[in-house]
Amino acid sequence: MKNIISSAIAQISSLINGFQVKRFFAVVAVGFLLLTTNVDAGRNSQAVAEQVLEKAHQTDDVRPKTSNEWKQEARETEDDPGTRGKYIAEETGQALKEFGKLYPKTAEASTRDND
């Protein structure tokens, strides 16, 4: 009886090794992901990014919003440290004002969630 059970287990394990079940499941998982992934996701995220950037530009005209704008400003003021310092001070002040407007709302929402 033990020989029959052990031989059956040996045959099943050799069958599993022969079919390479792990590879089969990996291929099935990759195929499932490829078939269920939204192909249009890149276009949607680009539209959302453009909307966020547009909204950010509506808040103020003082601070640069993109890395290209920061680099452009740095290039314009690289020979004049005084002007660069002035820009940095203005932008820091504007950032603190924006943070000051945002912080009370965030703190209130956080404390409300903890109650």
Side-chain angles (χ1 to χ4, degrees):
M1 185 71 169
K2 286 184 179 180
N3 288 340
I4 294 173
I5 294 173
S6 63
S7 66
I9 291 173
Q11 286 179 353
I12 290 172
S13 66
S14 68
L15 182 66
I16 289 174
N17 288 337
F19 279 68
Q20 299 177 353
V21 174
K22 291 180 183 178
R23 288 187 184 177
F24 174 74
F25 284 125
V27 169
V28 168
V30 169
F32 178 76
L33 287 174
L34 289 174
L35 290 174
T36 58
T37 303
N38 186 4
V39 177
D40 199 24
R43 293 186 205 136
N44 291 338
S45 63
Q46 180 66 25
V48 169
E50 289 173 1
Q51 290 174 352
V52 168
L53 186 59
E54 182 179 322
K55 186 173 182 175
H57 278 286
Q58 291 174 354
T59 58
D60 69 341
D61 294 329
V62 177
R63 293 174 49 213
K65 301 294 186 270
T66 64
S67 59
N68 285 337
E69 291 174 357
W70 283 102
K71 291 175 185 176
Q72 178 63 33
E73 184 181 282
R75 276 187 237 113
E76 290 172 359
T77 60
E78 69 184 347
D79 296 330
D80 189 6
T83 304
R84 192 171 197 171
K86 178 183 166 196
Y87 284 166
I88 290 172
E90 289 174 1
E91 292 161 7
T92 302
Q94 186 66 31
L96 289 173
K97 285 180 189 176
E98 288 178 20
F99 180 72
K101 291 176 187 174
L102 178 69
Y103 181 74
K105 294 176 188 174
T106 305
E108 182 181 322
S110 297
T111 56
R112 200 173 340 122
D113 290 342
N114 289 335
D115 291 339

